[in-house]
Amino acid sequence: MGDLIGKVAIITGAGSGIGAATAECLADHGAAVTVTDINFEAAQQTADIIGQRGQQALALKQDVTMREGWVEVFDRTRTTLGVVNVLVNNAGVSGAGLDRFEEEGGLDAWRQIMNINLDAVNLGCRQAIAEMKETGGSIVNISSVMGLVGGAGPAYNASKGGVRLLTKSIASYCGRMGYPIRSNSVHPGYIWTPMVRQIAEVHEEVSSEAELEEMLRLQHPIGRLGVPEDIAAGVKFLASDAAGFMTGSELVIDGGYTCV
Ligand code: NAP
């Protein structure tokens, strides 16, 4: 339980779901964490849970699409918790039902989803490279099984596929430049979070959350949907020195979703 002692991590979108579980998990293993979210109250709630366990957490409001905000998040973290050596780009939206190919308004939705899910990951990575190029660190980008196979909305699929290759490009770049930064992506199957529960509202074939859960469960050979802690454990590994030989790789945590 102490394999992240000395690590200082920033986790975006950590007021909910996978991000919240990841912040808690990294703190449980010894990291000091900055919990950011567009919803400050939610970020504060996660930080409070961590603080109540006697661990270090700083809550900040951050819209990941805002470039200047990234500088501030790294500055505030450095002055409050220490030099940052882990960035988890987790914030994202599903955009479920918004970017259908043949619907008016679909293109606007596409741009919005790409901005949050892909462009903002690039912003975070650029800042992390600038911060970590001397001191070293680990970037973990939350992609999806939808970054490996089709099946979601076009913007979600394209953004998550983009995150997968952006992650590899950063790994390759940092290697060429001699920067001691590892960069890996994580590809969750369906995890029962507010983002997924929301799909029930727009899915044509289901009329309730329970129906959605059962339909999705059947797509996972392991026989259940994921929980945020399943993903947090993988992120924790990639953030730790135990993953010291891993860069440019994709960690699939999907209950077998992509094996069928
Ligand atoms: P979630 O419960 O909805 O949490 C996402 C968090 O990100 C929310 O607190 C959300 O705030 C926040 N957020 C949204 N836009 C933001 C922005 N512009 N700046 C900062 N924060 C923002 O979702 P989740 O299921 O945990 O998903 C986390 C990540 O895992 C996402 O990247 C998602 O694509 C990926 N993922 C999820 C699944 C899954 O099945 N759940 C599967 C594969 C990959 P609001 O709620 O206020 O919008």
Side-chain angles (χ1 to χ4, degrees), residues 137-139 167-175 179-185 238 243-250:
S138 170
I139 296 171
T167 305
K168 291 183 193 299
S169 179
I170 289 164
S172 162
Y173 176 77
C174 289
Y179 299 159
I181 301 173
R182 295 183 294 104
S183 167
N184 295 286
S185 56
L238 290 173
F245 195 53
M246 284 181 77
T247 194
S249 63
E250 43 201 69

Side-chain angles (χ1 to χ4, degrees), residues 150-202:
Y156 192 79
N157 267 145
S159 66
K160 293 300 184 179
V163 167
R164 171 177 170 267
L165 279 178
L166 170 64
T167 305
K168 291 183 193 299
S169 179
I170 289 164
S172 162
Y173 176 77
C174 289
R176 279 201 311 280
M177 299 301 290
Y179 299 159
I181 301 173
R182 295 183 294 104
S183 167
N184 295 286
S185 56
V186 174
H187 300 262
Y190 279 94
I191 313 298
W192 196 242
T193 67
M195 176 186 284
V196 169
R197 289 202 290 271
Q198 194 192 358
I199 297 174
E201 292 162 24
V202 294

Side-chain angles (χ1 to χ4, degrees), residues 113-130:
I113 295 161
M114 293 298 275
N115 195 24
I116 298 170
N117 288 3
L118 180 56
D119 292 21
V121 173
N122 186 40
L123 290 179
C125 290
R126 290 170 69 94
Q127 193 61 32
I129 291 168

